[in-house]
Amino acid sequence: MPSHGRTGARSRRGWSHQRSAVASLVLCGPAVVLYAGFIVLPAALGFGYSFTDWTGWSKRPHFVGLDNFRELVADARFFDAIRFTLFETVLIGLFFTFASMLLAIALDKLSVMKGLIRGLFFYPYILSILVSALLFQYLANYREGAINTLFRAVGLDALAQDWMGDPHLVPYFIFALVAWSGLGFFTTLYLASLQTIPTDLYEAARIDGAGAVSVFRHIQFPMLLPTLTTNSVLALITGINLFPQIVVTTQGGPGYRTFTIGYYIYHLGVLNNRQGYAAAVSFITFAALVVIAGIQVALLRRRQVSL
Amino acid sequence: MTRRRLFIGASLSVAVVGVFAMALAGCSAEPRNEQVIRVTRNIGGREGFRKHFEAWKAAFERDNAPWKMELIDLGNMEGAEYYKSRIATGDLPEVIMTWEMSNFLADGGHLVPLPDAYYEKYGIELPAAYKGKRYTSQGGLQIQAIVVNMDMWKDIGVTEPPATWDAYFDAFHKLKEKGHKPLVLGGREWSAAMPMFYAFTSDMYDRVVDPAKPSWTKRRDAGEVSFASDPIARQAIEKMIYLVDNFVDKGALSDGYNEEQRDFYGGQGATWMMGCWMAGDLEPNHVEFEMEYWPVPSMIGRPPVIIQTSGMQSGWAVTTSATGPKLEKAMAVLDAFYDPVVYQELLNGECQFGQASKVPATEPKYDWPPAQHLIRSMVANIEQYGTTPGFHIALDDIPPPAFHTSMARVMQEIMAGNRDVDALLAMLDEEWDSGRKGT
């Protein structure tokens, strides 16, 4: 009987595992199929195209081996695009990681019109990025844009600038657009984390006579670190993926000065009909992004543990 | 987990996968079988283009009832993205408008060649064949040169077209002294390229195409010449720098075609380097001053000339999506294109000159006197100065497809302060080489 009992138990455990496996398959299956169909398969196809000279027009691409990757190594415009993208990414990363944290702490302390003011900061995020970009394009127009009109109206004509055309100003114009449209989202993530900090920690700090800086340093900052990790990775992705803002506003100009990686891929694949080479650029960018994000997450996790 | 939950989950799973499979299957579905011929056209906000399409549709549907002609308006899109996506889903419209994409489409096996009899039927000079075949209806003669505000030019005593770029620059200085803006030129869009396009195409290419002599494009592709090594290209860049330094206002990089048009039509500029299509918008914009259409000057002592950009295979083409009865009706759409009323609307909308000698429509006709005066100026100057195809020679003898954008980008660089002629020439060479790899 005991052995029969063990067999029965094993059988029940086996059936339970089986049911659990089926349930996993059923529940995850649709997501896996969709992810595979819309993300993994196109990515794999893109990787395959990177070994071809496909133009996007023909049905049968020609295999060119590693030619595209060899060309990439000597492609000055690719490296210019990387430099510009990294410059924007650093600005965006620092801003969304730290400025939005400070803003969240300030908004958290609000006692009046809390919802309204938070809503105002969040509002740009719900606008389509295309709408935001068109709005900024209008604001920045040299002759009729709101910024220069305002300067001229108050007699500060000398401050009126070609915000999108001046090569020294245009990187900050793009940064301002991204910062304005994304600040609300990143701030909201911090705000949500701030709500999870137990109030007795603040109470204890208050009893100990801790000031705002001390509270930030010893309570808020350590407790916000997981969100900081998330935000910094999201900000990195936002920076590396800069594309619609460029298409709508500068289209990579003046000249080639605001080519981001995303825009360069579009320029190659769509405008120059070099889908194969564009796929190679995409693949290298993807690989680099995975490495950078991996390092970033590892470093920030270590920091979290040490705190 | 209960069996019921498992059942619901399984059903949901099957449903999602099914929808996904159907979506994928839909992507490669056969073209629709309705009695409809889909035709692409760039219309956007251009009323003249819309009137042409409506006349075309009416003519087709009148002669081919119950078949319908459906517009796919590509607005201001160049069309390449749209066509590529339709190729990917196997659903190209039956008739498509192509300009410099005919070779890509033909190479991909997406176009149906047209018989020579089609061109002969309407008295159209045979366009240069591409790999031995012809694919497109031909529109009219499209010209590109310089439109001038005669009130301003008369103010400085100039009533005849200057023959050289330097003579233009001298006149521009005089216009400035008189308080006129000598040139409307924006840097944001394709129109930025116009002065450079004119300089290259009038002086680096033979005025008359000699099939026995390779063009600059062919020699560039063969590695015999380059922008960096060509003294005329260098001279052209230097002229562009002078032009920008002296006659283009700060902030021009914020302006595009619309701002140029608004300034010129509003009497705010003396000169506009723009194609003949600008005349089609004079009446809707109530432009009342006197205008003339002047030829493009030379840097190297050649006579001025008007650029002709419609000699290649450009127009509408039948795609391989048109099979069976649809192929016959797609051809009927191309036939309706040369209906006299339809063709007149094309010439009016595009402001082109007739190229189909058996169709009784020869030039645009407007009720607006300044527009009609401008047409007379175009006709007279085509007669006096002649036309050249520049680099629009044939589908296999043109610069890479995005080269116009490359020229615009180099003009932007100049407007942004880049004065390194070698670097600017190198940009043109790099873009040419990169673009050529996509052809």
Side-chain angles (χ1 to χ4, degrees), chain A residues 110-130:
Chain A
L110 279 176
S111 51
V112 289
M113 294 195 290
K114 213 170 184 173
L116 176 70
I117 294 172
R118 286 181 185 181
L120 284 175
F121 277 102
F122 192 73
Y123 167 71
Y125 183 71
I126 62 171
L127 289 178
S128 154
I129 196 69
L130 299 181

Side-chain angles (χ1 to χ4, degrees), chain A residues 72 75 77-78 81 243 259-269 277-278 281, chain B residues 431 434:
Chain A
L72 194 58
D75 186 346
R77 194 152 293 149
F78 171 64
F243 174 68
F259 266 48
T260 57
I261 292 289
Y263 190 83
Y264 187 49
I265 291 167
Y266 166 77
H267 172 80
L268 288 168
Y277 186 51
V281 175
Chain B
E431 275 300 293
S434 179

Side-chain angles (χ1 to χ4, degrees), chain B residues 330-378:
Chain B
M331 280 305 302
V333 166
L334 292 198
D335 281 321
F337 182 79
Y338 292 111
D339 176 282
V341 174
V342 177
Y343 196 57
Q344 183 65 59
E345 289 294 351
L346 173 88
L347 301 185
N348 291 353
E350 302 264 4
C351 189
Q352 293 186 358
F353 296 87
Q355 293 281 273
S357 61
K358 293 181 185 170
V359 181
T362 56
E363 63 180 49
K365 287 183 178 150
Y366 303 117
D367 295 331
W368 190 250
Q372 204 53 41
H373 179 85
L374 185 58
I375 298 303
R376 298 265 57 82
S377 167
M378 288 178 181

Side-chain angles (χ1 to χ4, degrees), chain A residues 19 26 38 55 57 71 77 141-144 162 165 251 255-257 263 266-267 269-270 272-274, chain B residues 1 9-10 13 20 81 84 104 110 250-251 253-255 262-263 402 409 412-413 430-431 434 437-438:
Chain A
R19 271 202 316 182
V26 165
F38 288 105
T55 62
W57 295 98
E71 183 179 343
R77 194 152 293 149
N141 184 282
Y142 180 76
R143 281 199 285 178
E144 292 147 353
D162 192 354
Q251 294 177 358
Y256 301 89
R257 295 174 190 236
Y263 190 83
Y266 166 77
H267 172 80
V270 177
N272 275 4
N273 297 308
R274 301 193 63 197
Chain B
M1 181 180 286
S13 180
F20 179 54
E81 295 98 323
K84 281 182 191 173
F104 293 102
H110 307 294
K250 182 182 177 184
L253 281 163
S254 279
D255 295 340
R262 188 190 57 198
D263 284 356
R409 289 194 185 283
Q412 288 179 348
E413 277 289 329
E430 284 163 20
E431 275 300 293
S434 179
K437 286 176 184 167

